[in-house]
Amino acid sequence: MRKSKKRSKVIWIMAIIAVAIIFALYIYFTKTGTNKEIIYNEHLSDQVLNVDGAIYTLEDLAFYIAYEENTVEKQAQIYNPADTNQYWNLHVNGEFIRVLAKENVIKMAAHDYIYYEYFLENSLSLSEEEEKLLANDQQDFWNDLTDDQKLRLGVSKEKIYDEMYIVCCAEKYQEYVYASQDVFDYDDYDFDGYAFERIVEEGHSYKTIDEVWSRISMGNVSYTHEIEE
C-alpha cells in the first residue's frame, strides 16, 4: 500500500512537471513564432482589418502606417533628435505613444473606408479643383518618403495614390454629412470624434485580425529605431 501511494505521488508530480514543460514550450513558441514581429514588405497580402465584412490587407494600410509614423517621427525629432525612439516609448495620459499610433492607424482606416462607402452611395464626386489638390498631395507624400521607407513599405506609388484617393473621398463625405446637420462640429466626424463613434454604433463594425496586427511594431515599419553604437 505504501509503495502504491508513493508511486501514485511520483506519477502525479511527473504529470505536473510534464504540464509545466508543455506550457513553457507553448509560451516559447508563441513568443518566437506567431507573435514575432514580421517584416512588413514580406506580408503585404496578409489580412489585417475587417470593416463591415470587407477585408483589408497590410498593403491597404501602408499609407496610413506611413502617414502616422511620419507624424509621430516629426514630434520625436523635436523631443530628442539624437534618439527618436525615446519619444516612441513615452507613456502619456495612460497610454504609450507607440500603442496610440497603432490605434490611430486602425481608426483612420476604418473611418475612411466607412465614409468612402457613403461617398459612393450618395453619388458624390470630387471637383476638378479637388482632384488637382489631391494630385499634388499624392505627389508630395510619395516624394517625401525616403528610398528606405519605400523599400521597407514595399508598396507601389499607385497603391499609395489609390489609398489617398479614398482618404480624399472620405473627407468629401465628411464635409457633406457635416453640412447636412447642425448638431455636431466638423471635427466630431473625425476618426476620433463623437459623431463618428455614433455612426459606427448605429450600424457599422470594424476589428483587427490580431494574428497579423499584433506582430506589427509601429515606429519600425517605414522607420527603424535601433540606436547605433
Side-chain angles (χ1 to χ4, degrees):
M1 289 291 292
R2 289 181 179 177
K3 287 184 179 181
S4 178
K5 288 182 178 180
K6 286 182 178 180
R7 187 179 294 113
S8 297
K9 187 175 182 180
V10 169
I11 293 173
W12 177 244
I13 293 173
M14 290 178 65
I16 293 175
I17 293 173
V19 171
I21 291 173
I22 292 172
F23 181 73
L25 288 172
Y26 169 77
I27 295 297
Y28 172 78
F29 285 114
T30 296
K31 288 184 176 296
T32 58
T34 57
N35 282 346
K36 184 179 180 181
E37 291 177 11
I38 61 177
I39 299 174
Y40 192 88
N41 60 19
E42 295 180 359
H43 292 263
L44 295 178
S45 63
D46 287 6
Q47 298 178 351
V48 71
L49 177 63
N50 182 325
V51 181
D52 292 337
I55 302 298
Y56 299 93
T57 65
L58 286 178
E59 183 180 27
D60 297 321
L61 265 59
F63 163 75
Y64 295 98
I65 290 175
Y67 174 85
E68 186 67 11
E69 286 195 335
N70 280 345
T71 300
V72 176
E73 187 68 13
K74 288 177 182 177
Q75 299 164 347
Q77 285 285 349
I78 297 172
Y79 184 81
N80 185 353
D83 178 13
T84 56
N85 194 45
Q86 190 177 68
Y87 182 80
W88 278 95
N89 290 327
L90 280 182
H91 192 260
V92 180
N93 296 326
E95 196 162 21
F96 285 102
I97 295 292
R98 191 182 304 276
V99 174
L100 180 60
K102 198 170 183 180
E103 291 174 353
N104 285 345
V105 167
I106 295 299
K107 290 179 180 179
M108 286 189 294
H111 168 277
D112 291 347
Y113 292 141
I114 289 172
Y115 280 9
Y116 180 63
E117 290 303 316
Y118 280 126
F119 174 90
L120 298 176
E121 288 177 13
N122 286 276
S123 301
L124 300 178
S125 61
L126 300 180
S127 67
E128 184 176 344
E129 181 62 24
E130 288 169 334
E131 289 182 348
K132 288 181 179 178
L133 291 173
L134 171 60
N136 289 334
D137 288 343
Q138 290 168 325
Q139 186 175 28
D140 288 345
F141 186 84
W142 180 256
N143 290 340
D144 286 344
L145 293 175
T146 66
D147 289 342
D148 187 57
Q149 283 183 294
K150 293 173 183 175
L151 179 64
R152 292 173 67 85
L153 287 168
V155 298
S156 66
K157 178 174 69 174
E158 289 72 25
K159 181 60 179 177
I160 292 294
Y161 280 24
D162 287 346
E163 291 303 310
M164 292 184 71
Y165 171 77
I166 291 175
V167 173
C168 189
C169 293
E171 290 174 350
K172 178 84 173 194
Y173 175 74
Q174 185 167 332
E175 294 170 358
Y176 171 82
V177 69
Y178 164 68
S180 67
Q181 54 80 57
D182 57 4
V183 177
F184 299 109
D185 293 332
Y186 178 82
D187 291 346
D188 290 331
Y189 288 95
D190 285 345
F191 71 92
D192 55 354
Y194 175 69
F196 175 64
E197 289 181 2
R198 285 191 56 179
I199 289 173
V200 172
E201 290 173 357
E202 291 173 359
H204 299 278
S205 66
Y206 64 89
K207 62 180 179 179
T208 57
I209 299 173
D210 291 334
E211 290 83 354
V212 175
W213 190 236
S214 65
R215 299 168 65 192
I216 298 299
S217 174
M218 281 297 293
N220 290 304
V221 178
S222 68
Y223 289 93
T224 179
H225 287 97
E226 296 176 356
I227 301 174
E228 296 181 3
E229 298 183 354

